[in-house]
Amino acid sequence: MSGATPPRPGSAGTPLIEARGVGRSYGSIVALHDVSARVLAGEVLCVLGDNGAGKSTLISILSGAQPHGSGEFLVDGQPTRLSSPREARDHGIATVYQDLAVVPLMSVWRNFFLGSELTVGHGPLRRLDVARMRSVASAELARMGIQLRDLEQPIGTLSGGERQSVAIARAVYFGARVVILDEPTAALGVKQAGIVLRDIARARDRGLGVVFVTHNPHHAYPVGDTFLLLGRGEMLGTYARGEITVEELTRLMAGGSELDDLTRELGRHPS
């Protein structure tokens, strides 16, 4: 399978994917309630929230891991009910999880094509097209601005940021129009997080829609176009970049008025 050409950047037009008032319950437990979001070509939607905010449930719906229980989910403006991640990929929706599905001892190029290897020949003479896979992996990584020392090295020897970069480039090559990134910078240092943020910006500039799920507003703000805040399974607000500052994002993430009350309480009882 060859890499698909992504749409041109631009916020005009039909969202690539859109959730309208979606929800999901597990018995009597409401994990997500009445959440709406839209992902446009050439834009980054940042989904922010603390643990238990509903981020994982929203990812599972957008990625096809489980269907929404209420509301409406649309792909290219058409109501859709995804039944599996494979069906989501068929719609051009790829999800890169924090615990990347890689084989650490295999080379970078083998992991790039893992599960979708290119072959030559037929029948008993069929074999891996090693030369082509090496060439394609090198070219696609270069297109994303990713420079690695040696594609033969085991992917487990790469830094966390570099492994995330390979996963993003792989998703783009295999035709993703929407890339969902689940906490890609959570376990990374400042420099490695910067590598991932750069790759997010490059994917956006190539016309992809990016969903960047994070609990860190300082990572979200440099690349985000729209910010969706979740708390206890519900929307706390949706803000365009020009409508909110990183300080306001941080305050809302920290609890807003609840944090102010705690600060006053601690101030009355100094240690």
Side-chain angles (χ1 to χ4, degrees):
M1 179 178 180
S2 61
T5 301
R8 297 291 297 173
S11 60
T14 304
L16 299 175
I17 60 174
E18 182 175 7
R20 295 178 180 173
V22 298
R24 177 77 187 184
S25 298
Y26 303 94
S28 61
I29 299 175
V30 178
L32 202 68
H33 174 67
D34 195 22
V35 172
S36 298
R38 42 193 273 161
V39 181
L40 299 168
E43 289 197 0
V44 178
L45 167 67
C46 295
V47 180
L48 298 107
D50 231 331
N51 293 334
K55 303 192 302 296
S56 295
T57 304
L58 181 60
I59 291 174
S60 69
I61 292 172
L62 299 182
S63 67
Q66 59 182 331
H68 53 288
S70 60
E72 193 173 27
F73 180 69
L74 299 91
V75 178
D76 296 320
Q78 300 299 315
T80 305
R81 192 171 184 83
L82 299 175
S83 60
S84 68
R86 180 176 294 276
E87 185 178 355
R89 288 194 296 270
D90 290 341
H91 284 286
I93 305 167
T95 304
V96 178
Y97 291 98
Q98 183 180 349
D99 52 343
L100 300 173
V102 299
V103 181
L105 295 180
M106 279 189 177
S107 65
V108 172
W109 65 265
R110 282 296 302 270
N111 274 278
F112 190 93
F113 282 96
L114 191 64
S116 302
E117 288 81 1
L118 304 179
T119 60
V120 292
H122 301 280
L125 298 179
R126 189 178 182 187
R127 64 190 186 280
L128 293 177
D129 192 344
V130 173
R132 186 177 172 206
M133 285 192 286
R134 286 173 177 163
S135 175
V136 169
S138 177
E140 290 302 313
L141 291 171
R143 286 181 67 190
M144 287 291 293
I146 301 167
Q147 302 294 330
L148 299 179
R149 295 180 296 277
D150 182 8
L151 296 188
E152 293 291 345
Q153 69 186 103
I155 198 167
T157 63
L158 300 183
S159 69
E162 289 171 329
R163 289 196 296 272
Q164 289 281 352
S165 297
V166 172
I168 294 170
R170 183 185 190 278
V172 173
Y173 172 73
F174 282 102
R177 300 181 300 138
V178 177
V179 179
I180 302 170
L181 302 171
D182 176 24
E183 297 278 6
T185 61
L188 303 180
V190 174
K191 183 177 180 180
Q192 296 303 319
I195 291 174
V196 177
L197 296 180
R198 178 203 64 191
D199 293 333
I200 291 173
R202 285 174 172 164
R204 174 199 63 202
D205 293 344
R206 289 187 60 182
L208 276 74
V210 180
V211 181
F212 177 21
V213 182
T214 181
H215 65 273
N216 191 327
H218 292 280
H219 288 172
Y221 200 78
V223 295
D225 296 291
T226 305
F227 305 94
L228 167 63
L229 272 71
L230 297 178
R232 299 176 184 176
E234 298 188 351
M235 294 177 60
L236 301 180
T238 301
Y239 305 90
R241 182 178 179 82
E243 296 175 339
I244 195 166
T245 65
V246 66
E247 291 78 16
E248 290 168 333
L249 269 181
T250 302
R251 182 175 178 275
L252 289 171
M253 282 281 297
S257 60
E258 293 180 10
L259 182 64
D260 292 340
D261 292 340
L262 177 61
T263 301
R264 285 193 294 270
E265 178 182 343
L266 293 176
R268 289 198 300 270
H269 301 284
S271 57

